[in-house]
Amino acid sequence: LRATLTFQKHFKAIDSDIILATMPKSGTTWLKALAFSIVNRNNHSVDESPLLFSNPHYLVPFLEMHLYKDGNIPDIDAMPCPRILATHLPYQFLPSTILDCSNCRIIYLCRNPLDVFTSTLHFVLQNRFASRPLASLDVPFEEFCQGIYPYGPFWDHCLGYWNASLKNPQKVLFLKYEDLKKDINSSVKKIADFLGYPLSAEEEEAGLVEEIATLCSFENLKNLNCNKEGEIQTVFRAKHNSFFRKGEVGDWVNLVPPSMANRLEKLMQEKFGESGLTLDIHGNSV
Ligand code: A3P
């Protein structure tokens, strides 16, 4: 909370800023790698990318969880432009400087709630945030349904960015993890166009879209030494490899029983209502 308040008070957005927003466990690490590679492709060739030596969370730091941690005020003006920064804060909590800054762009990545829930439980267990092994899914599932989850209710988080993307599509791009998995090449181009770094015909012909997609792929990142070893200290300590578990769509079927899934699906339909936002829970099960 202290970090969030400091971030809200002291951060000054500039037009070239790129803000990556997600609910935890929605594919933040992937989005960071993609945005970093797209924007910096003229500074580093793909085979010399800093992603080969650094976990993506160092290259694109979190605002409230990392830079403004403990109320610290970082010298953010010293960062090279464009600054690519990440946040898990709901849209309603972003400082007005980001919302008012005419050219600064926001990309939101959303993921189906059952995979978010499943990924979160594994992440907590892998990093031993829980004091003892999980005896039953009942309590965490009930809490998730009630909106008791880091960064607030899943529904409000998605809808905040969804509505902002409808109102101002030049400023907020709303993406779904499942669509990235389905067609990463189109997603790379979409992100590049939105950020104002479109790939030229020559770059496309040279296969740069595919190269970026492969560099940032789950299989590639997971197997790099920089992601296999070590840990990162933000507001908590997490093993680098805990950000790369399975990277699949529909892995929830291995954890969540159908009765819970049906309940969550109904709840989602109710919460999203007439907003036009839909997330596919059943369609892509592994
Ligand atoms: P799983 O636990 O389902 O495997 P975040 O980055 O927001 O913490 O989300 C982590 C989730 O994204 C994990 O999901 C992780 O495996 C997956 N992930 C990480 N890197 C990925 C990549 N390059 N491609 C696809 N999924 C990725």
Side-chain angles (χ1 to χ4, degrees), residues 5 16-17 42 44 51 63 73 89 93 117 119 123 135 139 164 166 204 217 241 248 260 272 274-275:
L5 293 172
S16 57
D17 283 346
N42 291 330
H44 322 278
L51 276 169
L63 285 155
I73 302 174
L89 286 181
F93 281 49
F117 173 72
S119 185
F123 186 75
V139 172
L166 295 182
E204 284 201 35
S217 68
N241 66 6
E248 288 173 358
M260 283 184 177
F272 287 170
E274 302 295 308
S275 68

Side-chain angles (χ1 to χ4, degrees), residues 108-156:
Y108 185 74
L109 181 62
C110 189
R111 187 182 192 188
N112 97 59
L114 282 166
D115 280 338
V116 168
F117 173 72
T118 302
S119 185
T120 303
L121 288 192
H122 285 291
F123 186 75
V124 166
L125 292 175
Q126 202 176 343
N127 288 299
R128 296 181 202 279
F129 298 141
S131 50
R132 57 198 138 113
L134 195 61
S136 137
L137 275 190
D138 291 349
V139 172
F141 183 77
E142 189 56 41
E143 287 182 351
F144 188 82
C145 291
Q146 286 185 23
I148 303 168
Y149 184 76
Y151 293 93
F154 177 85
W155 335 103
D156 296 352

Side-chain angles (χ1 to χ4, degrees), residues 22-34 56-57 62 88 109 111 115-116 118-120 122-123 126 177 180-181 184 213 215-222 241-252:
T22 52
M23 196 70 171
K25 311 326 289 173
S26 298
T28 322
T29 317
W30 193 12
L31 181 62
K32 285 183 175 189
L34 288 165
H57 294 291
F62 280 109
H88 284 320
L109 181 62
R111 187 182 192 188
D115 280 338
V116 168
T118 302
S119 185
T120 303
H122 285 291
F123 186 75
Q126 202 176 343
Y177 180 95
L180 265 65
K181 289 289 289 185
I184 186 59
L215 171 69
C216 301
S217 68
F218 178 80
E219 293 71 24
N220 187 52
L221 294 183
K222 184 184 171 73
N241 66 6
S242 67
F243 292 98
F244 305 92
R245 191 183 62 91
K246 277 194 171 178
E248 288 173 358
V249 173
D251 182 51
W252 62 265

Side-chain angles (χ1 to χ4, degrees), residues 17 25 31 39 51 65 70 92 163 203 225 261 268 274:
D17 283 346
K25 311 326 289 173
L31 181 62
V39 168
L51 276 169
M65 271 207 323
D70 299 332
Q92 299 83 333
N163 291 330
E203 286 180 314
N225 280 341
M268 180 168 70
E274 302 295 308

Side-chain angles (χ1 to χ4, degrees), residues 11-19 76-83 85 97-98 100-105 171:
F11 179 71
K12 299 269 176 297
I14 54 175
D15 275 348
S16 57
D17 283 346
I18 296 167
I19 310 292
I76 209 155
D77 295 337
M79 282 180 78
C81 292
R83 306 182 299 200
L85 302 158
T97 173
I98 293 180
D100 298 342
C101 193
S102 51
N103 275 324
C104 136
R105 301 267 195 273
K171 188 173 183 77

